[in-house]
Structures are given as structure tokens and as C-alpha cells.
Amino acid sequence: SGTASLTVGTPNDNSGTTTISGGTVIVADGGALGSGAVVNNATLQLDNASPMTFNNAVSGTGGFTKTSGGTATVTSDAVAASV
């Protein structure tokens, strides 16, 4: 929790749930949060210069934003959009 930001930019193999309780989590690679669900109760930001795919199921009350020039395709059970 809090108001700071955290940038995650490399793929990982986490399969558990990631919970965002405060601040901003900035995702610079589609696999940076692993394959588990994301509970977003703060701000989830996609910030990619190259095309990426974000496959995590997303729930929660938080905001979802896209920055930078790369295309982000968002596909999951909870969200399906291309931003």
C-alpha cells in the first residue's frame, strides 16, 4: 500500500495472485506479473514501447491505464480489449 510506483519489466513465472493495494504498478512486459490473477485496488498501468500481450485476469476497484506508444493487447477471463 502507499502512493509510490513500482515498475516490473521482465517476465517471471509467478502463478499466484498479485494484489495491488496502493500506488501504481507499471507493467513494461506482458509476462511481468506471471500467469496469476491480478487484484487491482489501486492503479495498474501498461507502459510498453513495443507490442505486448497482457493475459492476466484482472479484478478489483482500481484504475487501469495505458501509456507509451506500443500496442497492448489485453486478453483474459476478466478483460478483453486492445488499447
Side-chain angles (χ1 to χ4, degrees):
S1 71
T3 59
S5 64
L6 170 68
T7 300
V8 287
T10 56
N12 76 68
D13 60 359
N14 174 43
S15 61
T17 299
T18 298
T19 301
I20 305 168
S21 298
T24 301
V25 172
I26 302 166
V27 177
D29 181 281
L33 296 180
S35 62
V38 176
V39 178
N40 176 26
N41 292 322
T43 302
L44 175 60
Q45 176 180 329
L46 301 183
D47 183 28
N48 55 299
S50 301
M52 78 174 204
T53 300
F54 183 80
N55 291 318
N56 304 71
V58 179
S59 64
T61 59
F64 188 84
T65 62
K66 167 69 177 80
T67 56
S68 277
T71 301
T73 301
V74 180
T75 58
S76 75
D77 293 339
V79 179
S82 183
V83 293

Tab-separated table of all heavy atoms in Angstrom:
chain	number	residue	atom	x	y	z
A	1	SER	N	0.837	-1.194	0.000
A	1	SER	CA	0.000	0.000	0.000
A	1	SER	C	0.872	1.244	0.000
A	1	SER	O	2.069	1.169	0.206
A	1	SER	CB	-0.944	-0.018	1.182
A	1	SER	OG	-0.238	0.191	2.374
A	2	GLY	N	0.279	2.414	-0.244
A	2	GLY	CA	1.021	3.655	-0.314
A	2	GLY	C	0.789	4.349	-1.629
A	2	GLY	O	-0.125	4.002	-2.374
A	3	THR	N	1.637	5.327	-1.949
A	3	THR	CA	1.439	6.109	-3.161
A	3	THR	C	2.594	5.997	-4.150
A	3	THR	O	2.560	6.627	-5.195
A	3	THR	CB	1.245	7.596	-2.806
A	3	THR	OG1	2.413	8.037	-2.097
A	3	THR	CG2	0.011	7.802	-1.948
A	4	ALA	N	3.588	5.221	-3.864
A	4	ALA	CA	4.759	5.081	-4.741
A	4	ALA	C	4.415	4.254	-5.971
A	4	ALA	O	3.334	3.681	-6.081
A	4	ALA	CB	5.904	4.433	-3.976
A	5	SER	N	5.369	4.180	-6.906
A	5	SER	CA	5.186	3.335	-8.081
A	5	SER	C	6.266	2.269	-8.128
A	5	SER	O	7.358	2.444	-7.600
A	5	SER	CB	5.209	4.168	-9.362
A	5	SER	OG	6.462	4.771	-9.527
A	6	LEU	N	5.931	1.158	-8.759
A	6	LEU	CA	6.842	0.038	-8.947
A	6	LEU	C	6.754	-0.378	-10.406
A	6	LEU	O	5.659	-0.659	-10.903
A	6	LEU	CB	6.447	-1.145	-8.055
A	6	LEU	CG	7.179	-2.462	-8.315
A	6	LEU	CD1	8.648	-2.349	-7.916
A	6	LEU	CD2	6.496	-3.604	-7.576
A	7	THR	N	7.886	-0.398	-11.098
A	7	THR	CA	7.911	-0.830	-12.491
A	7	THR	C	8.434	-2.258	-12.560
A	7	THR	O	9.484	-2.563	-12.005
A	7	THR	CB	8.809	0.093	-13.340
A	7	THR	OG1	8.289	1.426	-13.277
A	7	THR	CG2	8.849	-0.362	-14.795
A	8	VAL	N	7.683	-3.130	-13.227
A	8	VAL	CA	8.104	-4.510	-13.451
A	8	VAL	C	8.236	-4.697	-14.956
A	8	VAL	O	7.320	-4.400	-15.713
A	8	VAL	CB	7.127	-5.524	-12.822
A	8	VAL	CG1	7.262	-5.527	-11.314
A	8	VAL	CG2	5.692	-5.242	-13.200
A	9	GLY	N	9.421	-5.147	-15.390
A	9	GLY	CA	9.680	-5.147	-16.812
A	9	GLY	C	10.242	-6.418	-17.388
A	9	GLY	O	10.570	-6.462	-18.566
A	10	THR	N	10.368	-7.465	-16.599
A	10	THR	CA	10.883	-8.722	-17.138
A	10	THR	C	9.903	-9.844	-16.799
A	10	THR	O	9.279	-9.841	-15.742
A	10	THR	CB	12.268	-9.068	-16.557
A	10	THR	OG1	12.189	-9.107	-15.139
A	10	THR	CG2	13.301	-8.040	-16.968
A	11	PRO	N	9.764	-10.819	-17.692
A	11	PRO	CA	8.850	-11.930	-17.433
A	11	PRO	C	9.254	-12.716	-16.191
A	11	PRO	O	10.432	-12.796	-15.854
A	11	PRO	CB	8.990	-12.809	-18.678
A	11	PRO	CG	9.540	-11.913	-19.731
A	11	PRO	CD	10.396	-10.911	-18.999
A	12	ASN	N	8.273	-13.268	-15.495
A	12	ASN	CA	8.566	-14.152	-14.365
A	12	ASN	C	7.578	-15.305	-14.374
A	12	ASN	O	6.608	-15.304	-15.120
A	12	ASN	CB	8.571	-13.381	-13.038
A	12	ASN	CG	7.195	-13.039	-12.541
A	12	ASN	OD1	6.444	-13.927	-12.162
A	12	ASN	ND2	6.849	-11.758	-12.533
A	13	ASP	N	7.816	-16.298	-13.518
A	13	ASP	CA	6.976	-17.491	-13.518
A	13	ASP	C	6.015	-17.553	-12.340
A	13	ASP	O	5.508	-18.614	-12.006
A	13	ASP	CB	7.847	-18.752	-13.578
A	13	ASP	CG	8.797	-18.876	-12.402
A	13	ASP	OD1	8.812	-17.993	-11.528
A	13	ASP	OD2	9.544	-19.870	-12.375
A	14	ASN	N	5.708	-16.422	-11.733
A	14	ASN	CA	4.745	-16.368	-10.642
A	14	ASN	C	3.379	-16.840	-11.137
A	14	ASN	O	2.872	-16.362	-12.141
A	14	ASN	CB	4.631	-14.935	-10.109
A	14	ASN	CG	3.548	-14.790	-9.074
A	14	ASN	OD1	3.405	-15.631	-8.205
A	14	ASN	ND2	2.769	-13.715	-9.170
A	15	SER	N	2.779	-17.800	-10.447
A	15	SER	CA	1.443	-18.252	-10.816
A	15	SER	C	0.417	-17.893	-9.749
A	15	SER	O	-0.762	-18.194	-9.898
A	15	SER	CB	1.432	-19.762	-11.064
A	15	SER	OG	1.814	-20.447	-9.880
A	16	GLY	N	0.862	-17.243	-8.685
A	16	GLY	CA	-0.042	-16.828	-7.625
A	16	GLY	C	-0.691	-15.489	-7.944
A	16	GLY	O	-0.362	-14.824	-8.916
A	17	THR	N	-1.617	-15.098	-7.097
A	17	THR	CA	-2.318	-13.830	-7.261
A	17	THR	C	-1.424	-12.669	-6.865
A	17	THR	O	-0.735	-12.717	-5.855
A	17	THR	CB	-3.594	-13.815	-6.392
A	17	THR	OG1	-4.441	-14.881	-6.820
A	17	THR	CG2	-4.337	-12.498	-6.506
A	18	THR	N	-1.436	-11.617	-7.683
A	18	THR	CA	-0.750	-10.369	-7.371
A	18	THR	C	-1.807	-9.372	-6.932
A	18	THR	O	-2.781	-9.141	-7.658
A	18	THR	CB	-0.007	-9.822	-8.610
A	18	THR	OG1	0.984	-10.779	-9.009
A	18	THR	CG2	0.647	-8.481	-8.319
A	19	THR	N	-1.642	-8.780	-5.737
A	19	THR	CA	-2.596	-7.798	-5.236
A	19	THR	C	-1.941	-6.426	-5.194
A	19	THR	O	-0.875	-6.263	-4.608
A	19	THR	CB	-3.095	-8.189	-3.823
A	19	THR	OG1	-3.703	-9.482	-3.898
A	19	THR	CG2	-4.099	-7.175	-3.299
A	20	ILE	N	-2.597	-5.450	-5.816
A	20	ILE	CA	-2.133	-4.067	-5.810
A	20	ILE	C	-3.058	-3.307	-4.853
A	20	ILE	O	-4.235	-3.117	-5.152
A	20	ILE	CB	-2.180	-3.455	-7.221
A	20	ILE	CG1	-1.400	-4.319	-8.204
A	20	ILE	CG2	-1.661	-2.020	-7.195
A	20	ILE	CD1	-1.637	-3.948	-9.661
A	21	SER	N	-2.515	-2.884	-3.710
A	21	SER	CA	-3.331	-2.252	-2.685
A	21	SER	C	-3.167	-0.742	-2.630
A	21	SER	O	-3.982	-0.060	-2.012
A	21	SER	CB	-2.988	-2.832	-1.305
A	21	SER	OG	-3.278	-4.213	-1.282
A	22	GLY	N	-2.104	-0.210	-3.211
A	22	GLY	CA	-1.873	1.225	-3.199
A	22	GLY	C	-0.810	1.580	-4.206
A	22	GLY	O	-0.066	0.723	-4.682
A	23	GLY	N	-0.750	2.843	-4.571
A	23	GLY	CA	0.254	3.295	-5.518
A	23	GLY	C	-0.040	2.812	-6.924
A	23	GLY	O	-1.180	2.530	-7.276
A	24	THR	N	1.018	2.685	-7.724
A	24	THR	CA	0.889	2.298	-9.129
A	24	THR	C	1.878	1.191	-9.447
A	24	THR	O	3.054	1.304	-9.128
A	24	THR	CB	1.188	3.505	-10.052
A	24	THR	OG1	0.278	4.561	-9.737
A	24	THR	CG2	1.061	3.138	-11.520
A	25	VAL	N	1.396	0.129	-10.068
A	25	VAL	CA	2.275	-0.905	-10.613
A	25	VAL	C	2.316	-0.688	-12.111
A	25	VAL	O	1.279	-0.689	-12.792
A	25	VAL	CB	1.796	-2.326	-10.269
A	25	VAL	CG1	2.624	-3.365	-11.013
A	25	VAL	CG2	1.898	-2.558	-8.766
A	26	ILE	N	3.519	-0.451	-12.624
A	26	ILE	CA	3.732	-0.171	-14.042
A	26	ILE	C	4.292	-1.432	-14.697
A	26	ILE	O	5.361	-1.909	-14.312
A	26	ILE	CB	4.705	1.006	-14.228
A	26	ILE	CG1	4.161	2.252	-13.511
A	26	ILE	CG2	4.957	1.278	-15.701
A	26	ILE	CD1	5.184	3.362	-13.352
A	27	VAL	N	3.571	-1.959	-15.667
A	27	VAL	CA	3.955	-3.194	-16.339
A	27	VAL	C	4.563	-2.846	-17.696
A	27	VAL	O	3.899	-2.257	-18.545
A	27	VAL	CB	2.738	-4.121	-16.520
A	27	VAL	CG1	3.119	-5.377	-17.291
A	27	VAL	CG2	2.147	-4.485	-15.164
A	28	ALA	N	5.834	-3.204	-17.892
A	28	ALA	CA	6.533	-2.902	-19.140
A	28	ALA	C	6.721	-4.131	-20.015
A	28	ALA	O	7.271	-4.044	-21.103
A	28	ALA	CB	7.889	-2.260	-18.833
A	29	ASP	N	6.254	-5.297	-19.573
A	29	ASP	CA	6.332	-6.542	-20.331
A	29	ASP	C	5.098	-7.366	-19.992
A	29	ASP	O	4.718	-7.444	-18.819
A	29	ASP	CB	7.602	-7.306	-19.958
A	29	ASP	CG	7.741	-8.599	-20.738
A	29	ASP	OD1	7.068	-9.591	-20.367
A	29	ASP	OD2	8.495	-8.619	-21.715
A	30	GLY	N	4.489	-7.962	-20.998
A	30	GLY	CA	3.255	-8.714	-20.787
A	30	GLY	C	3.349	-9.837	-19.787
A	30	GLY	O	2.376	-10.188	-19.150
A	31	GLY	N	4.513	-10.426	-19.599
A	31	GLY	CA	4.676	-11.523	-18.655
A	31	GLY	C	5.230	-11.108	-17.309
A	31	GLY	O	5.559	-11.942	-16.470
A	32	ALA	N	5.327	-9.812	-17.073
A	32	ALA	CA	5.998	-9.323	-15.865
A	32	ALA	C	5.273	-9.676	-14.572
A	32	ALA	O	5.903	-9.742	-13.514
A	32	ALA	CB	6.193	-7.805	-15.942
A	33	LEU	N	3.970	-9.920	-14.630
A	33	LEU	CA	3.243	-10.300	-13.413
A	33	LEU	C	2.975	-11.796	-13.365
A	33	LEU	O	2.182	-12.268	-12.559
A	33	LEU	CB	1.927	-9.519	-13.321
A	33	LEU	CG	2.072	-8.005	-13.172
A	33	LEU	CD1	0.696	-7.336	-13.089
A	33	LEU	CD2	2.906	-7.639	-11.941
A	34	GLY	N	3.657	-12.556	-14.203
A	34	GLY	CA	3.473	-14.004	-14.222
A	34	GLY	C	2.143	-14.372	-14.860
A	34	GLY	O	1.585	-13.620	-15.655
A	35	SER	N	1.611	-15.533	-14.491
A	35	SER	CA	0.365	-16.019	-15.093
A	35	SER	C	-0.820	-15.957	-14.154
A	35	SER	O	-1.936	-16.297	-14.532
A	35	SER	CB	0.561	-17.461	-15.574
A	35	SER	OG	0.866	-18.298	-14.466
A	36	GLY	N	-0.603	-15.523	-12.921
A	36	GLY	CA	-1.684	-15.482	-11.937
A	36	GLY	C	-2.606	-14.302	-12.122
A	36	GLY	O	-2.344	-13.381	-12.893
A	37	ALA	N	-3.699	-14.335	-11.385
A	37	ALA	CA	-4.681	-13.251	-11.417
A	37	ALA	C	-4.113	-12.002	-10.757
A	37	ALA	O	-3.183	-12.073	-9.948
A	37	ALA	CB	-5.949	-13.687	-10.694
A	38	VAL	N	-4.696	-10.855	-11.101
A	38	VAL	CA	-4.304	-9.580	-10.503
A	38	VAL	C	-5.530	-8.968	-9.844
A	38	VAL	O	-6.568	-8.791	-10.487
A	38	VAL	CB	-3.756	-8.602	-11.566
A	38	VAL	CG1	-3.439	-7.254	-10.941
A	38	VAL	CG2	-2.521	-9.182	-12.245
A	39	VAL	N	-5.423	-8.683	-8.539
A	39	VAL	CA	-6.454	-7.944	-7.828
A	39	VAL	C	-5.952	-6.514	-7.743
A	39	VAL	O	-4.994	-6.219	-7.029
A	39	VAL	CB	-6.712	-8.528	-6.416
A	39	VAL	CG1	-7.765	-7.695	-5.687
A	39	VAL	CG2	-7.129	-9.984	-6.508
A	40	ASN	N	-6.575	-5.630	-8.503
A	40	ASN	CA	-6.120	-4.255	-8.614
A	40	ASN	C	-7.051	-3.321	-7.837
A	40	ASN	O	-8.151	-3.016	-8.273
A	40	ASN	CB	-6.084	-3.845	-10.096
A	40	ASN	CG	-5.715	-2.397	-10.282
A	40	ASN	OD1	-5.054	-1.801	-9.448
A	40	ASN	ND2	-6.145	-1.821	-11.383
A	41	ASN	N	-6.581	-2.863	-6.688
A	41	ASN	CA	-7.345	-1.920	-5.883
A	41	ASN	C	-6.639	-0.575	-5.809
A	41	ASN	O	-6.875	0.207	-4.885
A	41	ASN	CB	-7.592	-2.487	-4.481
A	41	ASN	CG	-8.537	-3.673	-4.529
A	41	ASN	OD1	-9.487	-3.684	-5.291
A	41	ASN	ND2	-8.253	-4.688	-3.742
A	42	ALA	N	-5.775	-0.292	-6.751
A	42	ALA	CA	-5.038	0.977	-6.820
A	42	ALA	C	-4.936	1.367	-8.292
A	42	ALA	O	-5.946	1.653	-8.909
A	42	ALA	CB	-3.687	0.858	-6.142
A	43	THR	N	-3.717	1.344	-8.874
A	43	THR	CA	-3.556	1.664	-10.297
A	43	THR	C	-2.643	0.652	-10.967
A	43	THR	O	-1.530	0.412	-10.508
A	43	THR	CB	-2.963	3.076	-10.488
A	43	THR	OG1	-3.810	4.021	-9.855
A	43	THR	CG2	-2.836	3.427	-11.959
A	44	LEU	N	-3.118	0.088	-12.060
A	44	LEU	CA	-2.342	-0.818	-12.901
A	44	LEU	C	-2.116	-0.093	-14.219
A	44	LEU	O	-3.074	0.329	-14.883
A	44	LEU	CB	-3.108	-2.122	-13.134
A	44	LEU	CG	-2.489	-3.144	-14.083
A	44	LEU	CD1	-1.121	-3.593	-13.583
A	44	LEU	CD2	-3.412	-4.342	-14.236
A	45	GLN	N	-0.857	0.091	-14.577
A	45	GLN	CA	-0.510	0.864	-15.772
A	45	GLN	C	0.313	0.017	-16.718
A	45	GLN	O	1.317	-0.570	-16.325
A	45	GLN	CB	0.290	2.094	-15.352
A	45	GLN	CG	0.805	2.935	-16.496
A	45	GLN	CD	1.584	4.136	-15.985
A	45	GLN	OE1	1.310	4.670	-14.918
A	45	GLN	NE2	2.578	4.552	-16.738
A	46	LEU	N	-0.109	-0.067	-17.980
A	46	LEU	CA	0.686	-0.726	-19.011
A	46	LEU	C	1.507	0.347	-19.701
A	46	LEU	O	0.959	1.325	-20.200
A	46	LEU	CB	-0.215	-1.439	-20.020
A	46	LEU	CG	-1.147	-2.516	-19.473
A	46	LEU	CD1	-1.906	-3.173	-20.617
A	46	LEU	CD2	-0.399	-3.554	-18.668
A	47	ASP	N	2.819	0.174	-19.707
A	47	ASP	CA	3.729	1.178	-20.268
A	47	ASP	C	4.766	0.459	-21.115
A	47	ASP	O	5.822	0.076	-20.636
A	47	ASP	CB	4.389	1.964	-19.140
A	47	ASP	CG	5.286	3.079	-19.659
A	47	ASP	OD1	5.029	3.589	-20.758
A	47	ASP	OD2	6.254	3.425	-18.958
A	48	ASN	N	4.431	0.249	-22.376
A	48	ASN	CA	5.293	-0.537	-23.253
A	48	ASN	C	5.580	0.204	-24.547
A	48	ASN	O	4.677	0.770	-25.158
A	48	ASN	CB	4.659	-1.881	-23.557
A	48	ASN	CG	3.274	-1.734	-24.140
A	48	ASN	OD1	2.387	-1.183	-23.495
A	48	ASN	ND2	3.088	-2.214	-25.349
A	49	ALA	N	6.839	0.195	-24.969
A	49	ALA	CA	7.233	0.820	-26.233
A	49	ALA	C	7.033	-0.137	-27.409
A	49	ALA	O	6.789	0.292	-28.523
A	49	ALA	CB	8.689	1.269	-26.163
A	50	SER	N	7.122	-1.434	-27.149
A	50	SER	CA	6.940	-2.458	-28.179
A	50	SER	C	5.591	-3.138	-27.961
A	50	SER	O	5.050	-3.108	-26.858
A	50	SER	CB	8.040	-3.508	-28.074
A	50	SER	OG	9.298	-2.912	-28.232
A	51	PRO	N	5.045	-3.787	-28.996
A	51	PRO	CA	3.782	-4.507	-28.812
A	51	PRO	C	3.903	-5.564	-27.719
A	51	PRO	O	4.935	-6.211	-27.570
A	51	PRO	CB	3.556	-5.172	-30.176
A	51	PRO	CG	4.311	-4.326	-31.136
A	51	PRO	CD	5.525	-3.844	-30.368
A	52	MET	N	2.846	-5.725	-26.934
A	52	MET	CA	2.837	-6.750	-25.892
A	52	MET	C	1.431	-7.288	-25.707
A	52	MET	O	0.454	-6.653	-26.085
A	52	MET	CB	3.373	-6.225	-24.570
A	52	MET	CG	2.444	-5.375	-23.756
A	52	MET	SD	3.200	-4.998	-22.142
A	52	MET	CE	1.743	-4.694	-21.191
A	53	THR	N	1.352	-8.480	-25.111
A	53	THR	CA	0.076	-9.083	-24.743
A	53	THR	C	0.054	-9.268	-23.237
A	53	THR	O	1.000	-9.779	-22.651
A	53	THR	CB	-0.109	-10.441	-25.449
A	53	THR	OG1	-0.073	-10.220	-26.862
A	53	THR	CG2	-1.422	-11.086	-25.074
A	54	PHE	N	-1.046	-8.832	-22.621
A	54	PHE	CA	-1.237	-8.949	-21.175
A	54	PHE	C	-2.386	-9.930	-20.963
A	54	PHE	O	-3.526	-9.654	-21.344
A	54	PHE	CB	-1.562	-7.567	-20.594
A	54	PHE	CG	-1.716	-7.541	-19.104
A	54	PHE	CD1	-0.601	-7.515	-18.285
A	54	PHE	CD2	-2.972	-7.524	-18.525
A	54	PHE	CE1	-0.731	-7.474	-16.897
A	54	PHE	CE2	-3.113	-7.496	-17.150
A	54	PHE	CZ	-2.005	-7.469	-16.344
A	55	ASN	N	-2.081	-11.111	-20.383
A	55	ASN	CA	-3.058	-12.198	-20.293
A	55	ASN	C	-3.667	-12.404	-18.911
A	55	ASN	O	-4.480	-13.296	-18.741
A	55	ASN	CB	-2.411	-13.518	-20.725
A	55	ASN	CG	-2.115	-13.544	-22.200
A	55	ASN	OD1	-2.919	-13.101	-23.012
A	55	ASN	ND2	-0.949	-14.057	-22.558
A	56	ASN	N	-3.263	-11.651	-17.914
A	56	ASN	CA	-3.730	-11.882	-16.555
A	56	ASN	C	-5.197	-11.503	-16.386
A	56	ASN	O	-5.646	-10.485	-16.888
A	56	ASN	CB	-2.897	-11.075	-15.562
A	56	ASN	CG	-1.429	-11.364	-15.679
A	56	ASN	OD1	-0.804	-10.964	-16.654
A	56	ASN	ND2	-0.864	-12.047	-14.702
A	57	ALA	N	-5.944	-12.320	-15.640
A	57	ALA	CA	-7.300	-11.948	-15.239
A	57	ALA	C	-7.182	-10.804	-14.232
A	57	ALA	O	-6.359	-10.859	-13.323
A	57	ALA	CB	-8.003	-13.141	-14.612
A	58	VAL	N	-7.983	-9.760	-14.414
A	58	VAL	CA	-7.899	-8.574	-13.554
A	58	VAL	C	-9.246	-8.339	-12.894
A	58	VAL	O	-10.281	-8.341	-13.552
A	58	VAL	CB	-7.497	-7.321	-14.367
A	58	VAL	CG1	-7.432	-6.099	-13.468
A	58	VAL	CG2	-6.165	-7.542	-15.068
A	59	SER	N	-9.213	-8.109	-11.568
A	59	SER	CA	-10.414	-7.746	-10.822
A	59	SER	C	-10.043	-6.637	-9.850
A	59	SER	O	-8.881	-6.272	-9.725
A	59	SER	CB	-10.960	-8.961	-10.066
A	59	SER	OG	-10.018	-9.386	-9.087
A	60	GLY	N	-11.021	-6.097	-9.167
A	60	GLY	CA	-10.765	-5.068	-8.165
A	60	GLY	C	-11.378	-3.738	-8.551
A	60	GLY	O	-12.026	-3.595	-9.587
A	61	THR	N	-11.134	-2.750	-7.705
A	61	THR	CA	-11.765	-1.438	-7.855
A	61	THR	C	-10.814	-0.384	-8.397
A	61	THR	O	-11.182	0.784	-8.508
A	61	THR	CB	-12.295	-0.962	-6.498
A	61	THR	OG1	-11.200	-0.897	-5.572
A	61	THR	CG2	-13.362	-1.904	-5.954
A	62	GLY	N	-9.601	-0.749	-8.744
A	62	GLY	CA	-8.584	0.205	-9.158
A	62	GLY	C	-8.684	0.644	-10.600
A	62	GLY	O	-9.462	0.113	-11.390
A	63	GLY	N	-7.837	1.627	-10.952
A	63	GLY	CA	-7.777	2.159	-12.305
A	63	GLY	C	-6.844	1.343	-13.180
A	63	GLY	O	-5.939	0.652	-12.703
A	64	PHE	N	-7.081	1.426	-14.488
A	64	PHE	CA	-6.295	0.689	-15.473
A	64	PHE	C	-5.955	1.679	-16.573
A	64	PHE	O	-6.860	2.227	-17.215
A	64	PHE	CB	-7.143	-0.469	-16.008
A	64	PHE	CG	-6.406	-1.436	-16.895
A	64	PHE	CD1	-5.671	-2.462	-16.338
A	64	PHE	CD2	-6.468	-1.330	-18.275
A	64	PHE	CE1	-4.995	-3.377	-17.149
A	64	PHE	CE2	-5.808	-2.224	-19.095
A	64	PHE	CZ	-5.073	-3.253	-18.525
A	65	THR	N	-4.652	1.952	-16.775
A	65	THR	CA	-4.247	2.935	-17.772
A	65	THR	C	-3.208	2.355	-18.718
A	65	THR	O	-2.554	1.359	-18.417
A	65	THR	CB	-3.662	4.208	-17.124
A	65	THR	OG1	-2.493	3.855	-16.385
A	65	THR	CG2	-4.654	4.870	-16.197
A	66	LYS	N	-3.051	3.009	-19.865
A	66	LYS	CA	-2.059	2.624	-20.869
A	66	LYS	C	-1.273	3.860	-21.262
A	66	LYS	O	-1.853	4.883	-21.597
A	66	LYS	CB	-2.775	2.027	-22.085
A	66	LYS	CG	-1.919	1.862	-23.333
A	66	LYS	CD	-0.879	0.790	-23.160
A	66	LYS	CE	-0.077	0.574	-24.418
A	66	LYS	NZ	0.988	1.550	-24.633
A	67	THR	N	0.062	3.776	-21.209
A	67	THR	CA	0.933	4.857	-21.627
A	67	THR	C	1.967	4.308	-22.607
A	67	THR	O	2.053	3.106	-22.809
A	67	THR	CB	1.641	5.505	-20.418
A	67	THR	OG1	2.350	4.497	-19.701
A	67	THR	CG2	0.637	6.169	-19.480
A	68	SER	N	2.734	5.156	-23.212
A	68	SER	CA	3.742	4.812	-24.230
A	68	SER	C	3.080	4.480	-25.557
A	68	SER	O	1.866	4.372	-25.658
A	68	SER	CB	4.661	3.675	-23.809
A	68	SER	OG	5.698	4.164	-23.018
A	69	GLY	N	3.915	4.284	-26.571
A	69	GLY	CA	3.417	4.145	-27.924
A	69	GLY	C	3.143	2.751	-28.414
A	69	GLY	O	2.543	2.571	-29.465
A	70	GLY	N	3.583	1.725	-27.692
A	70	GLY	CA	3.391	0.355	-28.166
A	70	GLY	C	1.963	-0.114	-27.972
A	70	GLY	O	1.274	0.286	-27.049
A	71	THR	N	1.520	-0.990	-28.868
A	71	THR	CA	0.193	-1.573	-28.750
A	71	THR	C	0.188	-2.613	-27.640
A	71	THR	O	1.115	-3.410	-27.526
A	71	THR	CB	-0.219	-2.252	-30.069
A	71	THR	OG1	-0.200	-1.265	-31.092
A	71	THR	CG2	-1.597	-2.871	-29.980
A	72	ALA	N	-0.863	-2.603	-26.838
A	72	ALA	CA	-1.036	-3.611	-25.795
A	72	ALA	C	-2.353	-4.332	-26.047
A	72	ALA	O	-3.407	-3.704	-26.103
A	72	ALA	CB	-1.045	-2.979	-24.413
A	73	THR	N	-2.275	-5.635	-26.226
A	73	THR	CA	-3.480	-6.444	-26.367
A	73	THR	C	-3.742	-7.091	-25.017
A	73	THR	O	-2.879	-7.764	-24.472
A	73	THR	CB	-3.304	-7.514	-27.459
A	73	THR	OG1	-3.004	-6.848	-28.697
A	73	THR	CG2	-4.558	-8.350	-27.621
A	74	VAL	N	-4.928	-6.851	-24.498
A	74	VAL	CA	-5.309	-7.353	-23.181
A	74	VAL	C	-6.352	-8.431	-23.391
A	74	VAL	O	-7.434	-8.168	-23.909
A	74	VAL	CB	-5.868	-6.219	-22.291
A	74	VAL	CG1	-6.272	-6.742	-20.928
A	74	VAL	CG2	-4.849	-5.099	-22.174
A	75	THR	N	-6.016	-9.672	-23.015
A	75	THR	CA	-6.940	-10.792	-23.174
A	75	THR	C	-6.932	-11.631	-21.909
A	75	THR	O	-5.896	-12.099	-21.470
A	75	THR	CB	-6.540	-11.685	-24.355
A	75	THR	OG1	-5.225	-12.165	-24.137
A	75	THR	CG2	-6.589	-10.944	-25.686
A	76	SER	N	-8.079	-11.774	-21.304
A	76	SER	CA	-8.187	-12.619	-20.112
A	76	SER	C	-9.657	-12.934	-19.873
A	76	SER	O	-10.533	-12.453	-20.594
A	76	SER	CB	-7.595	-11.916	-18.889
A	76	SER	OG	-8.473	-10.899	-18.440
A	77	ASP	N	-9.934	-13.719	-18.854
A	77	ASP	CA	-11.310	-14.027	-18.490
A	77	ASP	C	-12.048	-12.773	-18.010
A	77	ASP	O	-13.244	-12.649	-18.179
A	77	ASP	CB	-11.350	-15.082	-17.376
A	77	ASP	CG	-10.845	-16.423	-17.864
A	77	ASP	OD1	-10.849	-16.664	-19.078
A	77	ASP	OD2	-10.435	-17.222	-17.012
A	78	ALA	N	-11.311	-11.841	-17.419
A	78	ALA	CA	-11.941	-10.657	-16.835
A	78	ALA	C	-11.950	-9.460	-17.775
A	78	ALA	O	-12.809	-8.604	-17.680
A	78	ALA	CB	-11.224	-10.269	-15.536
A	79	VAL	N	-10.995	-9.389	-18.676
A	79	VAL	CA	-10.857	-8.215	-19.543
A	79	VAL	C	-10.557	-8.690	-20.957
A	79	VAL	O	-9.778	-9.614	-21.141
A	79	VAL	CB	-9.670	-7.339	-19.068
A	79	VAL	CG1	-9.492	-6.126	-19.958
A	79	VAL	CG2	-9.845	-6.903	-17.621
A	80	ALA	N	-11.146	-8.067	-21.945
A	80	ALA	CA	-10.805	-8.368	-23.343
A	80	ALA	C	-10.862	-7.065	-24.126
A	80	ALA	O	-11.917	-6.533	-24.379
A	80	ALA	CB	-11.756	-9.393	-23.924
A	81	ALA	N	-9.704	-6.531	-24.455
A	81	ALA	CA	-9.644	-5.261	-25.176
A	81	ALA	C	-8.277	-5.109	-25.822
A	81	ALA	O	-7.322	-5.781	-25.443
A	81	ALA	CB	-9.889	-4.101	-24.222
A	82	SER	N	-8.176	-4.225	-26.756
A	82	SER	CA	-6.901	-3.850	-27.329
A	82	SER	C	-6.766	-2.357	-27.159
A	82	SER	O	-7.628	-1.601	-27.602
A	82	SER	CB	-6.819	-4.223	-28.804
A	82	SER	OG	-5.550	-3.912	-29.315
A	83	VAL	N	-5.715	-1.918	-26.454
A	83	VAL	CA	-5.548	-0.492	-26.159
A	83	VAL	C	-4.271	0.026	-26.799
A	83	VAL	O	-3.370	-0.697	-27.080
A	83	VAL	CB	-5.531	-0.223	-24.643
A	83	VAL	CG1	-6.885	-0.523	-24.056
A	83	VAL	CG2	-4.479	-1.062	-23.943
